[in-house]
Amino acid sequence: MANKTLEARFRGLRREAERRVQERQREGVPTISIVMSTCALASGAAETRDAIKETLERIKVPARIVPVGCMGHCYAEPLVVIDHPASGFPPICYHRIDAGIARVVIRSFFEDGDPSFEYVLGALEENDLVPPVTQFPRFNLEERVVMELCGRIDPGDIQEYIARGGYAALARALDGEPESVIDTIERSGLRGRGGAGFPTGRKWRLARSARSERKVVICNADEGDPGAYMDRTILESNPHQVLEGLAIAAYAVGADEALVYVRAEYPLAVKTVQKAVRDAEACSLLGRGVLGTAFDLKVSVFQGSGAFVCGEETALIQSVEGRRGMPRHRPPYPVEKGLWGRPTVVNNVKTLASVPPIVSKGADWFRTIGTENSPGTAIFSVVGNVKHPGLVEVPMGTSLRKLIFDVCGGIPGKKAFKAVQIGGPSGGCLPERFLDTPIDFDSLAQAGAMMGSGGMVVMDQDSCMVDVARYFVDFTQKESCGKCTFCRIGTRHLLVMLDRITKGEGREEDLEIMETLSHDIKAGSLCGLGKTAPNPVITSLRYFREEYEAHIRERRCPALKCRALVAFYIDLERCARGCDACVGCCPVEAIFTTKGRKKAIDQQRCVKCGECMVACPPEYNAVFKVSPPERAPVIERPPENGPAPAGNP
Amino acid sequence: MIRITVDGKEIQTEQGKTILQACLENGIYIPNLCFLETREQPRASCRLCFVETSDAERPVTACTETVRDGLDVRTNTEAVRRLQRTAFKLIMSAHHCTPKTCPVAKPCQLMRIARHIQVGLNPRPLETLERDVQEEVDLTFFTYYPFRCVMCGKCVDVCRDRNERNPLTFAKRGFDTVVTFFGSGASNLPCDDCGACVAVCPTGALIPKPPPSES
């Protein structure tokens, strides 16, 4: 390094971090890492941790309990890793460890030397004793750039991040000229991970060349898509990689102020980032005179109060300034005139977290991952009807089929794949024939969906596409800021029409009106939210038009989903005489006994909850669901039997 | 001075003006509801002032584009009219038009726009939307009629210009968005009743209350 003070300061920092981490390992006590991110806590990680602590105390085994961030394997939470080199076993990852199982596993591991294979997910290293996790496609098909350290380090301990090579990229960037950092990012081809895919290097260059004394860099962690939680997980699991990226961005564009805009609904992420900022300041990695150089950076954490539209950069800026979060017309773009009128770079969490690896390993390395026009990796939170939901990081260009069926295990319950919604409420629903579409910015846009920020909802044959479109339009119309005509009123019209179609009251002309209106909303809206809000309607109309037509013309829901269009009935041939498993579970007493001592459903009384279908013993399987409701055979209730029919007291 | 062409007619204007300003000053009407001369940045929320220019492939809002020498502007193409008509019908589906009882002098701005883009005042084929709000809302100095309001935001903008505390503002989200007023009751009001908001309203959604009688 050219700058001797900088080099010395950083080397000292790193040596100290390595020494501390090694010291802990040398103690010889086992390390038990427990995933403690929001999703793990929701599945009971805190109880698991308490049970482990309590059991260790009872059997008098000293151990270091480390809370780590999310590994991305939501289907397997709570996850626990036991790393005890003295036992002869490699570090073993256990899955679905509730408090009860935790007691069993800890006792048998430490008392009997038995690693309880039935709860093992896999070993984290190659070995001869325990099958390693790398055998699973979920691990070996992923490529982790942003999430490499997520779930492997304690997010609350800056030393662990530094010891693993953290902040080396910042030291390296500070050693050179800001322009050379921008050159590297530009050459790497990194595109904004917030959804639009704008080249990050170009954005930084525009901000750098903007003439102003003071500039600002904002990390946008106002993640609001239903079913998306990538940004939260990254902030909770490895906040320092984001802060390092933020500091590099600030240095590159010449900003002395940075802001992490994180939504208040993410309390753990807020707390983790706030602590990370304090720790980094204490290590002179942020704040005044970073690592002894002339570069100052004041970082603050701003909590957004939960408006979806505040993820849009101009609305985000308004909200920081203390106003109602409403997008404004661009230009002027924030890079010219943003927060408090200063040139402002707004980058997504994943974009910033991609920066340190690029600076450390070089632009050419980054380009070896992904495709020509979309280098790097894509992070998706895959939810819905898949066997292994969770966070996945795959190289760009991976096909949807590979992601859904190989990495995430496909559709559970022997059901058929129907559609995948990519990009949240702004994205589109793609049917089966698009499964071989490569995941990158341009291919997805071509198919009518969009990369979005990374929400992916997989749907099986039981999903009604009209209902799905209705759900997303309901979301966007509720979250519209109400500023411009098309978004405020247009999406409401879409919702009214979708609503009545799912109730079987659709009109023949609705489809055409929806189509024209959707295109006008796209063309006429002020901001990105409005421009993309009709996408679920447009794509579902394009790819699943026959479902809309069935709803309108036949009052039939092909997926048997829309409540107003289905009916339950009991097949008298299959129903067992004398069995009354369904009777007790019906919340509205709609099931009565027929003359032949079998059961039947009073359609007037039935609320279509489906409980009887669940309760009917599998050997009879007598309850059926049909659409349209008229297809259910009518069976009269015998007059002497049970309560009077509904509406006839 | 620079020259631009609007619908084949050459007009002169100044650098820095928006297309909408240049046209209105030269007597060329472009439909608009939210444009306010005093506003530094256009609100661009009514989505009515679409035009086509030689600079862009798709229609753009005239209030956000600045003029440049030699610019060719067209205000009445099919694409422009389509967006304007949809936007207008959307507005009319939420604005309950009652010409007989409406206090605004006729023809009102909405009538003028309807005539200009050759559509009726009804929202067809769209239907009239209902809202879960009161017909009349008491905002201390004036009464607010949500079903007349077209959310142009002019009242909020002029209020911001005159009052540091911006007592008039928007509340709620999406289709339920309304204009509202901070503070109620006679004491400690954040506003000195200048009436600018009432004067600027194009649709009669804000009506001043009669002063309280002496008795």
Side-chain angles (χ1 to χ4, degrees), chain A residues 484-504:
Chain A
C484 88
T485 305
F486 282 99
C487 180
R488 183 182 71 245
I489 313 174
T491 54
R492 180 59 164 244
H493 276 285
L494 289 179
L495 180 66
V496 167
M497 284 184 269
L498 288 166
D499 227 20
R500 69 168 169 245
I501 294 175
T502 56
K503 287 190 180 130

Side-chain angles (χ1 to χ4, degrees), chain A residues 578-646:
Chain A
C579 165
D580 57 1
C582 53
V583 177
C585 73
C586 179
V588 290
E589 293 178 41
I591 299 175
F592 60 90
T593 307
T594 64
K595 280 178 192 149
R597 286 180 39 236
K598 296 202 173 182
K599 300 289 175 282
I601 297 171
D602 181 343
Q603 299 294 346
Q604 261 74 52
R605 209 169 257 275
C606 175
V607 289
K608 298 162 185 179
C609 64
E611 283 299 313
C612 50
M613 204 170 185
V614 180
C616 186
E619 60 265 41
Y620 309 135
N621 247 342
V623 183
F624 287 86
K625 195 177 180 184
V626 285
S627 178
E630 298 81 57
R631 277 188 54 207
V634 180
I635 298 162
E636 288 292 324
R637 186 195 280 263
E640 74 280 5
N641 180 299

Side-chain angles (χ1 to χ4, degrees), chain A residues 19-289:
Chain A
R19 190 186 61 77
R20 280 205 209 174
V21 171
Q22 275 167 6
E23 210 165 67
R24 278 179 214 148
Q25 284 165 352
R26 226 179 290 126
E27 286 163 13
V29 299
T31 305
I32 300 176
S33 314
I34 307 169
V35 175
M36 294 292 276
S37 54
T38 299
C39 41
L41 288 171
S43 28
E47 289 78 17
T48 302
R49 178 197 54 199
D50 295 344
I52 291 176
K53 269 190 183 159
E54 183 199 325
T55 314
L56 288 169
E57 268 166 34
R58 191 170 309 147
I59 61 175
K60 299 200 170 56
V61 173
R64 218 164 61 83
I65 293 178
V66 184
V68 294
C70 177
M71 297 183 181
H73 298 257
C74 302
Y75 60 93
E77 301 288 4
L79 280 158
V80 172
V81 177
I82 301 182
D83 184 7
H84 188 26
S87 69
F89 288 113
I92 302 174
C93 181
Y94 293 90
H95 68 312
R96 298 205 170 103
I97 303 299
D98 63 26
I101 299 174
R103 290 189 193 101
V104 175
V105 170
I106 295 293
R107 290 196 88 119
S108 68
F109 190 99
F110 290 104
E111 288 194 329
D112 315 328
D114 169 13
S116 317
F117 278 101
E118 60 267 48
Y119 304 115
V120 168
L121 181 70
L124 294 181
E125 284 167 13
E126 299 286 331
N127 69 98
D128 303 329
L129 296 168
V130 185
V133 287
T134 45
Q135 283 179 353
F136 306 130
R138 184 55 194 261
F139 284 82
N140 62 30
L141 290 178
E142 277 196 56
E143 175 146 4
R144 294 199 162 187
V145 172
V146 170
M147 290 180 54
E148 197 192 346
L149 295 177
C150 289
R152 312 230 161 198
I153 58 169
D154 178 356
D157 185 357
I158 191 171
Q159 306 295 346
E160 284 200 27
Y161 181 64
I162 298 174
R164 298 260 195 151
Y167 285 106
L170 176 63
R172 192 180 173 140
L174 289 177
D175 196 39
E177 288 302 312
E179 265 84 7
S180 77
V181 179
I182 297 180
D183 282 342
T184 310
I185 298 299
E186 215 160 40
R187 270 193 299 116
S188 77
L190 176 65
R191 294 173 69 171
R193 295 315 198 230
F198 190 81
T200 308
R202 201 190 303 162
K203 196 185 251 185
W204 289 11
R205 196 173 292 286
L206 285 170
R208 169 126 204 115
S209 58
R211 243 171 277 140
S212 170
E213 289 289 299
R214 306 197 61 190
K215 296 175 189 177
V216 189
V217 179
I218 296 176
C219 169
N220 184 353
D222 189 61
E223 181 176 52
D225 287 8
Y229 49 92
M230 304 75 53
D231 297 350
R232 183 194 74 204
T233 303
I234 294 167
L235 286 179
E236 282 174 6
S237 310
N238 191 4
H240 287 289
Q241 190 165 333
V242 181
L243 291 181
E244 187 180 3
L246 190 67
I248 294 171
Y251 177 69
V253 304
D256 62 347
E257 208 181 323
L259 197 73
V260 183
Y261 188 100
V262 48
R263 47 191 345 220
E265 289 96 322
Y266 287 174
L268 183 60
V270 171
K271 224 171 75 188
T272 315
V273 178
Q274 281 170 338
K275 178 172 191 317
V277 171
R278 283 197 303 272
D279 290 350
E281 275 169 355
C283 293
S284 177
L285 292 161
L286 298 174
R288 290 197 71 82

Side-chain angles (χ1 to χ4, degrees), chain B residues 191-206:
Chain B
C191 156
D192 55 6
D193 194 15
C194 70
C197 50
V198 172
V200 83
C201 179
T203 59
L206 292 176

Side-chain angles (χ1 to χ4, degrees), chain B residues 72-184:
Chain B
D72 189 12
V73 179
R74 301 212 292 152
T75 68
N76 54 6
T77 65
E78 210 173 298
V80 164
R81 284 288 184 261
R82 176 179 167 170
L83 284 177
Q84 284 174 332
R85 285 177 185 142
T86 307
F88 185 71
K89 280 176 185 298
L90 287 173
I91 289 171
M92 294 311 287
S93 72
H95 169 87
H96 293 185
C97 181
T98 50
K100 281 193 185 130
T101 51
C102 183
V104 182
K106 320 268 176 317
C108 70
Q109 273 215 53
L110 294 170
M111 289 170 165
R112 198 173 165 198
I113 293 167
R115 193 181 312 142
H116 188 83
I117 59 174
Q118 291 168 317
V119 290
L121 287 170
N122 66 68
R124 275 194 295 268
L126 301 176
E127 58 208 303
T128 304
L129 293 175
E130 291 300 331
R131 270 203 282 178
D132 191 16
V133 284
Q134 289 169 285
E135 294 258 329
E136 292 181 14
V137 184
D138 182 356
L139 297 184
T140 310
F141 292 120
F142 32 80
T143 310
Y144 175 59
Y145 295 83
F147 291 100
R148 286 189 201 145
C149 179
V150 291
M151 288 292 149
C152 67
K154 277 184 184 173
C155 52
V156 175
D157 288 343
V158 291
C159 185
R160 181 176 295 163
D161 289 346
R162 284 158 199 256
N163 295 286
E164 207 182 316
R165 288 160 73 187
N166 201 191
L168 202 62
T169 184
F170 294 106
K172 301 194 185 172
R173 291 182 206 179
F175 187 64
D176 297 324
T177 311
V178 286
V179 170
T180 192
F181 185 72
F182 278 116
S184 59

